Amino acid sequence: MNFRNFYKPSRLTYSFEVYPPKSDAGITDLIANLQALKDLDPAFVSVTYGAMGSTRDVTRDLAIRIKNEVGVTTAFHFTCVGTNRPDIKSYIERFKKEGFELMVALRGDPPQGTEKFVPPPDGFAHANELVSYIRNIDGFSIAVAGYPEGHIEAQDKETDLKNLKRKVDAGADIVITQLFFDNADYFDFCERARVIGITVPIIPGIMPISNLKQVEKITKMCGARIPEVLHARLRTSEGDPEKIRDIGIGHAISQCREIMKRTEPWFHFYILNKSESVRRIVGMLK
Ligand code: FAD
């Protein structure tokens, strides 16, 4: 199985990203939410890897449960944080044994309170090194992260894009973007990426906003921007969760519709472990 095979011209294709909940009850809820979304037939569900490798085993156990209990194609995320080559090999070999073939390969963030990522001994400094390593030891299809507004540590967007090309040249099959709320950033990013020879699919990461404080926190952490007009609408409705959710859904639908018109109908939804918003969005797109 290869990520690339999901994406056919003009065919609506979407995937869902989830994160490992902290409690058993949260995990049960998440499994139920994914079961409720199964009829939407996502290409795959991807399971994130906690900051600082904090959900190492939880990510793996959850990914295995989603694959087996929900019965959807599942991808796992993995970062270079706090791990070395032999450890990476044994971690991902277990996935291989469980029948996984799709991996999202990342560097990960530096520990909170520090600015610079320090590679672990016998580990990797950048995601392109991880991609090369996995390519050499195994037959996984690999997705990597792209940043329409530039990665938060990058000195400028052009350097960041050249670094994205290193990941693709190392063997990534697709790029999944960080969330963005202004499509102009995505269109510009794709155009610049094509100019420097990145030809793989660049799947837009769409996050339906459902909570103002949460989206402010996420965007601050990852260096993404909430356009002022959208931000003002959200602020006006603060305290009315349903209104906020409706604004978030409406904005995501208009982002997707414009992307479908201008490029391909391919999306990666950051569903924040919920089912309702994405069901409404996909319903409208269909
Ligand atoms: P890199 O590609 O290594 O880039 C990091 C920085 O280094 C960039 O500024 C880049 O320009 C620069 N750079 C890259 N290569 C080189 C090089 N060879 N030489 C010099 N500079 C270089 N985080 C998690 O902890 N867990 C997750 O599950 C997770 N999933 C994610 C999924 C997606 C789709 C996205 C967009 C992000 C995700 N992240 C996750 C966040 C990610 O780990 C952070 O953004 C991290 O800071 C960078 O990871 P990267 O793989 O993009 O790193």
Side-chain angles (χ1 to χ4, degrees):
M1 190 182 303
N2 190 303
F3 278 113
R4 265 183 290 192
N5 297 341
F6 296 126
Y7 303 102
K8 306 284 181 218
S10 306
R11 190 171 80 185
L12 178 62
T13 304
Y14 42 82
S15 47
F16 302 149
E17 180 171 312
V18 300
Y19 59 86
K22 289 202 173 87
S23 65
D24 288 347
I27 291 180
T28 306
D29 273 359
L30 171 58
I31 299 277
N33 284 340
L34 289 175
Q35 267 155 348
L37 288 174
K38 200 181 162 187
D39 64 304
L40 295 183
D41 196 22
F44 62 91
V45 169
S46 81
V47 185
T48 65
Y49 191 79
M52 294 305 297
S54 56
T55 64
R56 192 182 163 80
D57 293 338
V58 187
T59 292
R60 186 161 61 193
D61 293 348
L62 179 62
I64 292 171
R65 280 192 66 182
I66 291 172
K67 178 174 167 290
N68 296 339
E69 289 176 35
V70 184
V72 288
T73 301
T74 308
F76 64 97
H77 295 216
F78 182 73
T79 76
C80 306
V81 176
T83 187
N84 60 26
R85 285 158 218 242
D87 193 37
I88 294 169
K89 194 164 187 281
S90 67
Y91 185 77
I92 68 169
E93 268 171 1
R94 170 81 196 283
F95 275 104
K96 194 81 195 166
K97 276 205 197 103
E98 295 284 345
F100 285 79
E101 293 174 307
L102 306 175
M103 171 175 181
V104 184
L106 304 138
R107 185 202 67 181
D109 286 320
Q112 263 190 347
T114 62
E115 276 174 21
K116 205 171 154 33
F117 182 88
V118 179
D122 197 24
F124 299 118
H126 294 291
N128 65 295
E129 298 167 16
L130 176 65
V131 175
S132 303
Y133 182 69
I134 294 158
R135 266 280 168 268
N136 285 332
I137 60 168
D138 234 307
F140 282 102
S141 177
I142 300 170
V144 291
Y147 303 86
E149 299 171 69
H151 181 254
I152 193 159
E153 294 163 33
Q155 62 189 72
D156 57 66
K157 283 185 179 180
E158 295 319 310
T159 313
D160 196 39
L161 201 59
K162 283 184 193 149
N163 288 329
L164 174 63
K165 185 156 189 304
R166 293 182 201 238
K167 297 193 272 196
V168 174
D169 291 346
D173 295 299
I174 61 166
V175 174
I176 300 175
T177 78
Q178 179 167 274
L179 58 93
F180 58 89
F181 296 107
D182 184 345
N183 283 352
D185 292 318
Y186 172 71
F187 296 134
D188 173 63
F189 176 68
C190 292
E191 208 174 296
R192 287 183 297 110
R194 299 306 178 218
V195 168
I196 67 160
I198 296 174
T199 56
V200 299
I202 302 176
I203 312 303
I206 304 290
M207 195 185 85
I209 296 171
S210 59
N211 179 309
L212 177 57
K213 288 276 166 293
Q214 180 189 45
V215 72
E216 284 174 343
K217 187 173 166 206
I218 294 173
T219 49
K220 189 166 176 226
M221 264 165 39
C222 70
R225 185 171 54 86
I226 309 172
E228 200 33 61
V229 175
L230 174 63
H231 208 166
R233 282 183 67 208
L234 293 166
R235 278 201 209 97
T236 314
S237 304
E238 202 174 1
D240 184 345
E242 251 178 58
K243 190 89 192 291
I244 296 273
R245 201 174 52 211
D246 286 347
I247 294 171
I249 292 171
H251 188 77
I253 291 171
S254 58
Q255 280 193 278
C256 294
R257 283 192 170 144
E258 190 188 18
I259 290 170
M260 287 166 92
K261 263 195 213 144
R262 289 198 35 185
T263 61
E264 292 289 354
W266 305 335
F267 305 102
H268 183 72
F269 290 110
Y270 295 103
I271 69 168
L272 300 170
N273 291 5
K274 302 275 193 297
S275 60
E276 194 198 317
S277 295
V278 77
R279 173 169 291 288
R280 282 173 56 187
I281 294 164
V282 169
M284 290 302 285
L285 300 182
K286 278 184 167 168

